[in-house]
Amino acid sequence: MHFTPDQQAVILALTDEWQTPLQIVGNLPNACGNPSYINELIKALLCEGLVQANPVVLGLYRLTTNGMARKALELGENQ
């Protein structure tokens, strides 16, 4: 799948730790959006299986195993 630059930035900002959209915005290099815009990007990444929503605490997100692999590709770390 082809990702937009903003989606790529969100993938790079997320980790395997739970984060809120506000925390994700704070980790973005250009602060490409507000939390509402980030939520839309996260929804698209959820559909792709790259991001997981916390089933207990609403509004927390982290990368899945596939998301971590994609992040590694984005960073050029995958061999």
Side-chain angles (χ1 to χ4, degrees):
M1 176 184 180
H2 177 71
F3 295 101
T4 67
D6 288 346
Q7 287 173 321
Q8 290 172 331
V10 170
I11 290 171
L12 294 174
L14 277 164
T15 66
D16 60 353
E17 300 293 325
W18 296 113
Q19 297 176 306
T20 66
L22 189 56
Q23 289 171 312
I24 297 165
V25 168
N27 291 331
L28 293 173
N30 299 334
C32 67
N34 59 45
S36 297
Y37 178 61
I38 296 302
N39 281 336
E40 294 302 316
L41 296 172
I42 289 171
K43 286 179 189 177
L45 296 171
L46 279 164
C47 292
E48 293 297 320
L50 301 175
V51 174
Q52 175 186 19
N54 189 310
V56 177
V57 181
L58 297 177
L60 293 178
Y61 305 95
R62 68 179 179 187
L63 290 174
T64 62
T65 304
N66 290 341
M68 291 298 290
R70 179 62 192 212
K71 182 175 182 174
L73 282 172
E74 292 290 330
L75 294 173
E77 295 176 355
N78 193 7
Q79 298 178 7

